[in-house]
Amino acid sequence: MIRVALFVCPQTVCSSLAMADDAFRLANQLAGEPLFQVQRFSRNGLPVDIGMAEIRVDGGLPLAEAADLVLLTATGVAVEQTLASNSELLPWLAARPDTQQLASLCSSAFLLAASGRLDGRRATTHWVLAPAFRKRYPQVRLEPDALLTEDGNLFCSGGAQAGLDLCLHLIAWHGGHWLAQRVAGALVFDLERGLQSRFAPLLPAAGKEDPQIGPLLRWLQRHLDEPLDLDALAARGHCSSRTLLRRFKTATGLTPNAYLQRLRISAAQTALRNPARSLEQVAAQVGYADRATFAKLFKQLCGETPGAFRRRLRSHL
């Protein structure tokens, strides 16, 4: 029997804890035998108040030391508070033997990284937290596009539902792919869902702080299928092309051309929901003269081809 220990602290996200617990217990049910022994632990072995509920645990750190898999459930976006509140956990994580599997869901990757266990290793976390993670832990090989990473006995997942991707991966690791497939089917969930970048918004929410850039963004939205004329755009903003480039980058983090490409691909995602339109028609609608250029940029920004995107939409109907 595989012993799974789920870490609980005051910052634990309730849905993350419940999701992980449900996945492994459902695996036992569908396997017809108790493959996984699922237990909860806290630093001191006492119940933990997570705000909406008090979570009972089965023990403290000694219990988790005997586990085959220690899983740190998501801890939310208050990273500084989580690290300060769980400082005693860090040396304990650092001392775990290489034979013990350690896994983090979403933001708890910060705990695993703070312990030093991820130095030089592959990891991921929620795409929103990726810049802060990379700045804090430059020695970690962060892959923010990945839904999950595996490096030896170290596992990480991206945001929210990516935690279920990782749980299914671990179920497959210990119980076989067939069991992970059955658990995914019971939960009406796709296995191997691709890249986390598919879920990140293509366009930044920007322009409000610059009264001249905001109207230009709205103009581009209405004329996204037209070629970009930087001088004409600068004239609309009543500034020079050089000034426009500087202010546009400050407001959006992108050049006007990069913003336009993301704007076009975002519009294409909407257009692809209409099965009556061919890929060539969608490409032309958003300003691309040929399908190949459109498909290449779509995959670059979305992590999948336009055809794969459309097939995935149909599979959920």
Side-chain angles (χ1 to χ4, degrees):
M1 183 182 296
I2 306 302
R3 294 163 295 182
V4 180
L6 307 180
F7 178 60
V8 186
C9 67
Q11 294 77 34
T12 292
V13 176
C14 188
S15 60
S16 176
L17 175 64
M19 176 181 60
D21 189 87
D22 286 347
F24 289 106
R25 294 186 190 278
L26 181 57
N28 286 339
Q29 178 184 334
L30 294 176
E33 59 177 311
L35 291 177
F36 300 98
Q37 179 187 33
V38 186
Q39 296 181 301
R40 297 183 295 273
F41 75 101
S42 62
R43 295 191 311 279
N44 54 16
L46 299 176
V48 181
D49 185 353
I50 63 171
M52 67 180 302
E54 183 175 82
I55 305 299
R56 292 179 297 174
V57 297
D58 301 290
L61 298 181
L63 177 145
E65 289 172 1
D68 300 293
L69 166 64
V70 173
L71 195 152
L72 308 176
T73 52
T75 48
V77 297
V79 173
E80 297 292 346
Q81 180 183 359
T82 298
L83 292 174
S85 175
N86 295 282
S87 58
E88 298 173 13
L89 181 72
L90 304 183
W92 182 85
L93 286 171
R96 297 300 87 228
D98 292 337
T99 53
Q100 187 177 49
Q101 291 183 328
L102 301 177
S104 66
L105 304 188
C106 193
S107 49
S108 62
F110 282 81
L111 288 171
L112 204 52
S115 74
R117 293 306 300 268
L118 292 178
D119 288 359
R121 312 297 285 272
R122 298 174 60 229
T124 191
T125 188
H126 195 294
W127 57 267
V128 167
L129 298 173
F133 187 99
R134 182 176 280 114
K135 182 177 180 180
R136 184 184 285 270
Y137 306 112
Q139 66 275 28
V140 178
R141 292 162 52 197
L142 184 67
E143 299 179 9
D145 283 349
L147 280 175
L148 62 91
T149 57
E150 174 187 335
D151 194 322
N153 271 339
L154 298 173
F155 303 84
C156 300
S157 69
Q161 295 303 311
L164 183 52
D165 290 275
L166 180 53
C167 289
L168 291 169
H169 181 77
L170 292 167
I171 289 170
W173 175 286
H174 293 287
H177 187 270
W178 69 272
L179 180 57
Q181 184 66 63
R182 289 198 63 189
V183 173
L187 295 173
V188 196
F189 194 82
D190 288 328
L191 279 179
E192 301 173 357
R193 294 187 301 142
L195 298 177
Q196 186 179 186
S197 56
R198 292 195 291 111
F199 304 95
L202 292 177
L203 295 171
K208 294 181 180 179
E209 67 281 3
D210 190 322
Q212 285 181 288
I213 296 301
L216 291 181
L217 298 184
R218 291 189 288 274
W219 186 88
L220 283 173
Q221 290 169 3
R222 296 192 301 270
H223 301 271
L224 60 87
D225 60 327
E226 300 175 8
L228 179 66
D229 185 326
L230 188 60
D231 291 334
L233 194 64
R236 284 188 168 276
H238 307 290
C239 62
S240 68
S241 297
R242 184 175 180 179
T243 298
L244 172 68
L245 286 172
R246 175 178 54 80
R247 295 177 65 173
F248 202 100
K249 186 70 178 289
T250 299
T252 68
L254 301 168
T255 65
N257 183 62
Y259 185 90
L260 178 61
Q261 304 315 312
R262 288 174 173 267
L263 187 61
R264 288 175 170 179
I265 297 302
S266 181
Q269 288 179 323
T270 300
L272 285 167
R273 298 176 184 276
N274 180 358
R277 299 191 67 80
S278 68
L279 295 184
E280 289 81 4
Q281 288 174 321
V282 171
Q285 177 182 332
V286 298
Y288 295 104
D290 66 279
R291 172 176 166 174
T293 301
F294 164 62
K296 181 179 179 180
L297 187 59
F298 191 100
K299 185 173 183 179
Q300 177 183 326
L301 293 177
C302 303
E304 59 186 339
T305 65
F309 177 85
R310 174 171 273 175
R311 288 191 295 273
R312 181 166 55 81
L313 290 179
R314 290 175 179 172
S315 70
H316 290 289
L317 294 178

